[in-house]
Structure formats: structure tokens, C-alpha cells
Amino acid sequence: MEIVTIDHILKTNKSIVDSIPFQNVLINDDNRKLLDSLPEESIDLVITSPPYDDLRDYNKDLVWNFKVFQEIASKLFRVMKKGGVVVWVVGDKTKDGGKSLTSFKQALFFQEIGFKIYDVIIYEKTGSGPPH
């Protein structure tokens, strides 16, 4: 599998779409330029772990909120092939003993824009969560 970075593509004289061999490619895209340039229904699989719930400090270099999420999700829906799969790895912060449920809000939005939700996997990371 070839790994293609957006920075590498942007340094070439080719367009973004012409630069990517659309078979068995892993694309590292930390901006939205690629999603805007991809043809409709051209992607089989996306695996991503976007920022969520202010659980990491990105030194204010990254703006991530529900509006940005909605924009990304809508762009993903446009480029995904029918039957394609998006693996969206997110977690919810715990505050005052309760979960934010941001991941559930995101799942509901995915469904509202046309994605089919096949499964939700909930896991407990070792060493995280409230004390037992």
C-alpha cells in the first residue's frame, strides 16, 4: 500500500486528483483540500480518528467543533461509494461523572445525511475512566 501525503501532492505540478492512484492508497490528510477535490462516490474506505471533545491540546492550531464535524461528514458522504465504509474513531469526555455523548450526536448526524450506521463499538481503554 502506498502512503500519499497532501503536502507531497501539493508540491507536484499535478492536480490533487490526478496525483492519486485510486487503488490501495492510504492518504494522510490533515486538511480539507483533498475531500473537496475528490470525485463523487470514489472512496471505498475511510479510517480516521478526528479530534474530539477537547481531550487533546492542539496548541490552538486546530479548530474542531460540531460545525466543522458536520462539514467533514457531509464531504465524506459525497465522496463515499455506495456500500463504502467510514470507521470514525472518537470518544466522549467525562465531566462531573458523566459522558458528553458527542460520539452519539455525531452518529446521529451521519445517519441524518444518509449514511447507514451498521455498528457502534464501545470500548474501555485501560487506565481511563472514573475509578471503580
Side-chain angles (χ1 to χ4, degrees), residues 41 43-45 77 80-86 115-116 118:
E41 298 184 18
I43 302 297
D44 292 304
L45 173 67
F77 186 75
M80 295 305 296
K81 289 181 181 177
K82 299 290 184 235
V85 175
V86 174
F115 279 104
K116 292 183 175 147
Y118 292 105

Side-chain angles (χ1 to χ4, degrees), residues 90-103:
V90 295
D92 299 313
K93 74 176 160 189
T94 301
K95 184 175 182 181
D96 299 325
K99 293 287 190 180
S100 66
L101 300 181
T102 299
S103 62

Side-chain angles (χ1 to χ4, degrees), residues 52-115:
Y52 46 90
D53 273 356
D54 299 322
L55 293 176
R56 297 205 191 322
D57 179 14
Y58 293 97
N59 298 320
K60 300 185 193 279
D61 293 335
L62 179 67
V63 175
W64 186 263
N65 54 40
F66 198 71
K67 183 178 178 180
V68 174
F69 156 74
Q70 289 174 312
E71 177 187 348
I72 298 294
S74 297
K75 289 179 181 198
L76 281 174
F77 186 75
R78 184 188 72 78
V79 301
M80 295 305 296
K81 289 181 181 177
K82 299 290 184 235
V85 175
V86 174
V87 178
W88 189 263
V89 181
V90 295
D92 299 313
K93 74 176 160 189
T94 301
K95 184 175 182 181
D96 299 325
K99 293 287 190 180
S100 66
L101 300 181
T102 299
S103 62
F104 291 89
K105 294 171 192 170
Q106 291 177 354
L108 288 171
F109 183 78
F110 276 123
Q111 190 174 49
E112 285 173 19
I113 62 173
F115 279 104

